[in-house]
Amino acid sequence: MRIFDISPLVTQDSPVYPGDAPLRIKRVSEAPALVSAFSMSPHLGAHVDAPAHLHAAGEVADLSLNRLLGSAQVLALSVAGEITPQALQGKPIVAERLLLKTGFRLGTSWPEQFPYLSAESVDYLNQRHVRLIGIDTPSIDAADSEALPSHRRAVDAGMLILENLDLAAVGEGLYELIALPLKIRGLEASPVRAVLVESF
């Protein structure tokens, strides 16, 4: 068995969407033991969006864990911008959890552009019974999108969204995904420690 950690390291220098809260850590006690407090956007690092992110019913604490645990397919795409249905056609989709590997790597500042899914591509994946979309970019929508059409299509279809994964060391194929959110009431998203398990 081989485990791939597909969660990027989060630091106080990790870039966030403009206006979101970066990671801040404060030491609140040194003795008798070290205790810290931290704050950050729940969309920082690898994270899952709950329907509440788009003002729909369903906070992150209410997500069924079996939707974030199970067989997942990693699919590599050679795209720089919008991922259209044409980019996905001809590629067999064999799992209800699909992780898209575009090769994007987050730098030290919020990027002006990155690969993202068109709303039509979300529909295409929904028609092929994909119930979870994961991607190695900060969002399934364009970097400057405010309407978030792909998020809306996914939420309307009952699909979950995993974003900002690190798939650099993972090849195409089938794995077991584990990407469990924190059980915090009132949040529309949660960081996850996402891993893929490859069984020999």
Side-chain angles (χ1 to χ4, degrees):
M1 182 177 71
R2 188 177 180 188
I3 297 175
F4 295 91
D5 186 352
I6 59 171
S7 305
L9 179 67
V10 175
T11 74
Q12 295 185 71
D13 295 320
S14 296
V16 296
Y17 181 81
D20 280 5
L23 173 63
R24 292 291 179 258
I25 300 174
K26 179 181 179 181
R27 304 300 185 198
V28 297
S29 177
E30 297 282 347
L34 184 65
V35 179
S36 302
F38 74 94
S39 62
M40 60 181 256
S41 166
H43 301 271
L44 183 58
H47 66 276
V48 59
D49 288 339
H53 184 38
L54 275 293
H55 302 286
E59 296 180 357
V60 72
D62 301 320
L63 295 179
S64 173
L65 296 185
N66 60 21
R67 301 181 65 190
L68 293 151
L69 177 68
S71 181
Q73 178 184 2
V74 174
L75 187 65
L77 299 171
S78 297
V79 292
E82 183 181 59
I83 301 170
T84 64
Q86 289 72 29
L88 297 167
Q89 288 170 356
K91 296 180 178 292
I93 296 173
V94 297
E96 66 178 21
R97 302 170 189 86
L98 184 68
L99 310 182
L100 300 176
K101 179 180 178 177
T102 71
F104 177 82
R105 301 302 296 269
L106 188 62
T108 57
S109 60
W110 182 259
E112 294 184 359
Q113 60 182 7
F114 47 71
Y116 65 95
L117 279 167
S118 69
E120 293 74 20
S121 289
V122 175
D123 293 339
Y124 177 86
L125 295 177
N126 181 41
Q127 292 163 6
R128 279 144 189 82
H129 311 291
V130 172
R131 309 315 304 151
L132 178 148
I133 301 171
I135 196 165
D136 59 358
T137 70
S139 176
I140 64 168
D141 276 293
D144 60 353
S145 176
E146 295 184 358
L148 303 177
S150 296
H151 276 79
R152 295 186 186 283
R153 293 285 182 90
V155 169
D156 288 347
M159 305 164 81
L160 286 183
I161 304 165
L162 276 177
E163 295 170 325
N164 211 29
L165 302 175
D166 180 0
L167 299 172
V170 182
E172 287 192 303
L174 286 174
Y175 302 84
E176 288 294 310
L177 170 70
I178 305 170
L180 303 183
L182 300 174
K183 196 173 183 179
I184 300 176
R185 177 60 67 205
L187 285 180
E188 80 290 346
S190 172
V192 296
R193 185 66 180 264
V195 301
L196 290 175
V197 180
E198 180 183 63
S199 298
F200 294 100

PDB file of all heavy atoms in Angstrom, residues 36 38 52-53 99 118 136 174:
ATOM      1  N   SER A  36      -1.662  27.255  21.031  1.00  0.00           N
ATOM      2  CA  SER A  36      -1.788  28.261  19.986  1.00  0.00           C
ATOM      3  C   SER A  36      -3.253  28.513  19.657  1.00  0.00           C
ATOM      4  O   SER A  36      -4.126  27.691  19.931  1.00  0.00           O
ATOM      5  CB  SER A  36      -1.069  27.800  18.707  1.00  0.00           C
ATOM      6  OG  SER A  36       0.287  27.549  18.945  1.00  0.00           O
ATOM      7  N   PHE A  38      -5.401  29.881  16.064  1.00  0.00           N
ATOM      8  CA  PHE A  38      -5.177  30.232  14.669  1.00  0.00           C
ATOM      9  C   PHE A  38      -6.485  30.625  14.011  1.00  0.00           C
ATOM     10  O   PHE A  38      -7.569  30.243  14.453  1.00  0.00           O
ATOM     11  CB  PHE A  38      -4.501  29.090  13.900  1.00  0.00           C
ATOM     12  CG  PHE A  38      -5.384  27.911  13.586  1.00  0.00           C
ATOM     13  CD1 PHE A  38      -6.055  27.822  12.376  1.00  0.00           C
ATOM     14  CD2 PHE A  38      -5.542  26.874  14.504  1.00  0.00           C
ATOM     15  CE1 PHE A  38      -6.857  26.743  12.079  1.00  0.00           C
ATOM     16  CE2 PHE A  38      -6.350  25.788  14.221  1.00  0.00           C
ATOM     17  CZ  PHE A  38      -7.013  25.716  13.001  1.00  0.00           C
ATOM     18  N   ALA A  52     -23.615  25.280   1.246  1.00  0.00           N
ATOM     19  CA  ALA A  52     -23.809  26.585   1.874  1.00  0.00           C
ATOM     20  C   ALA A  52     -22.900  27.657   1.270  1.00  0.00           C
ATOM     21  O   ALA A  52     -23.201  28.847   1.372  1.00  0.00           O
ATOM     22  CB  ALA A  52     -23.583  26.492   3.379  1.00  0.00           C
ATOM     23  N   HIS A  53     -21.812  27.254   0.627  1.00  0.00           N
ATOM     24  CA  HIS A  53     -20.922  28.217  -0.025  1.00  0.00           C
ATOM     25  C   HIS A  53     -21.667  29.023  -1.087  1.00  0.00           C
ATOM     26  O   HIS A  53     -21.345  30.175  -1.352  1.00  0.00           O
ATOM     27  CB  HIS A  53     -19.735  27.468  -0.639  1.00  0.00           C
ATOM     28  CG  HIS A  53     -18.685  28.326  -1.255  1.00  0.00           C
ATOM     29  ND1 HIS A  53     -18.283  29.539  -0.734  1.00  0.00           N
ATOM     30  CD2 HIS A  53     -17.934  28.151  -2.394  1.00  0.00           C
ATOM     31  CE1 HIS A  53     -17.342  30.068  -1.489  1.00  0.00           C
ATOM     32  NE2 HIS A  53     -17.126  29.258  -2.503  1.00  0.00           N
ATOM     33  N   LEU A  99     -10.756  13.436  -9.944  1.00  0.00           N
ATOM     34  CA  LEU A  99      -9.756  14.443  -9.596  1.00  0.00           C
ATOM     35  C   LEU A  99      -9.007  14.834 -10.859  1.00  0.00           C
ATOM     36  O   LEU A  99      -8.393  13.989 -11.515  1.00  0.00           O
ATOM     37  CB  LEU A  99      -8.777  13.904  -8.548  1.00  0.00           C
ATOM     38  CG  LEU A  99      -9.396  13.249  -7.306  1.00  0.00           C
ATOM     39  CD1 LEU A  99      -8.292  12.818  -6.340  1.00  0.00           C
ATOM     40  CD2 LEU A  99     -10.382  14.180  -6.628  1.00  0.00           C
ATOM     41  N   SER A 118     -15.535  24.796 -17.284  1.00  0.00           N
ATOM     42  CA  SER A 118     -16.706  25.513 -17.768  1.00  0.00           C
ATOM     43  C   SER A 118     -17.952  24.910 -17.119  1.00  0.00           C
ATOM     44  O   SER A 118     -17.939  23.748 -16.677  1.00  0.00           O
ATOM     45  CB  SER A 118     -16.815  25.414 -19.291  1.00  0.00           C
ATOM     46  OG  SER A 118     -17.133  24.084 -19.677  1.00  0.00           O
ATOM     47  N   ASP A 136      -6.648  20.520  -9.079  1.00  0.00           N
ATOM     48  CA  ASP A 136      -5.390  20.991  -8.480  1.00  0.00           C
ATOM     49  C   ASP A 136      -5.197  22.495  -8.644  1.00  0.00           C
ATOM     50  O   ASP A 136      -4.068  22.991  -8.619  1.00  0.00           O
ATOM     51  CB  ASP A 136      -4.196  20.225  -9.065  1.00  0.00           C
ATOM     52  CG  ASP A 136      -4.064  20.372 -10.579  1.00  0.00           C
ATOM     53  OD1 ASP A 136      -4.924  21.046 -11.191  1.00  0.00           O
ATOM     54  OD2 ASP A 136      -3.116  19.805 -11.151  1.00  0.00           O
ATOM     55  N   LEU A 174      -6.794   4.788 -10.767  1.00  0.00           N
ATOM     56  CA  LEU A 174      -7.758   4.655  -9.691  1.00  0.00           C
ATOM     57  C   LEU A 174      -7.055   4.533  -8.343  1.00  0.00           C
ATOM     58  O   LEU A 174      -6.041   3.834  -8.221  1.00  0.00           O
ATOM     59  CB  LEU A 174      -8.643   3.425  -9.903  1.00  0.00           C
ATOM     60  CG  LEU A 174      -9.699   3.529 -11.000  1.00  0.00           C
ATOM     61  CD1 LEU A 174     -10.389   2.184 -11.191  1.00  0.00           C
ATOM     62  CD2 LEU A 174     -10.719   4.604 -10.654  1.00  0.00           C
TER      63      LEU A 174
END
